[in-house]
Amino acid sequence: MNGDDEQLLNGRVYGRDHDDPRQGPQPGRTYIELTGGPLDGLFLDVTGWTRDEIAAGAVLATELGRFGPGGRALYDPRPGDAGRFDWTADSP
């Protein structure tokens, strides 16, 4: 990932297109910030997720990780910080 890719991701919500006029977090929704790894700086919309679902973390499709298109990035909750998921690994 280069600097241009990083700038495109910063402050956006995971899953939204880069040209979506509502790229950032929206009022009335609940978000967790993704830290580290290929999706660093994105927000994950967890509105409607249960505590158990949030505690399980997230496996997110991305072509920016080690495995390219079709790959996934694994994020786990940060202990003591309910607002962040930390990157743990890439997976095919």
Side-chain angles (χ1 to χ4, degrees):
M1 179 162 52
N2 64 34
D4 292 336
D5 290 333
E6 289 178 28
Q7 189 159 8
L8 277 175
L9 295 179
N10 212 7
R12 284 190 40 233
V13 174
Y14 172 81
R16 293 235 176 100
D17 289 335
H18 69 277
D19 58 353
D20 185 335
R22 296 178 306 138
Q23 296 176 26
Q26 300 296 304
R29 311 288 298 174
T30 302
Y31 298 94
I32 290 178
E33 183 179 359
L34 302 174
T35 57
L39 303 176
D40 185 47
L42 285 179
F43 291 96
L44 180 63
D45 187 344
V46 295
T47 305
W49 288 32
T50 67
R51 285 185 186 169
D52 287 343
E53 289 170 328
I54 291 172
V59 177
L60 305 170
T62 181
E63 56 189 55
L64 299 175
R66 176 177 166 203
F67 297 96
R72 291 169 176 72
L74 286 63
Y75 286 85
D76 288 332
R78 180 180 288 181
D81 187 348
R84 297 192 197 310
F85 277 1
D86 292 320
W87 174 76
T88 55
D90 287 333
S91 175

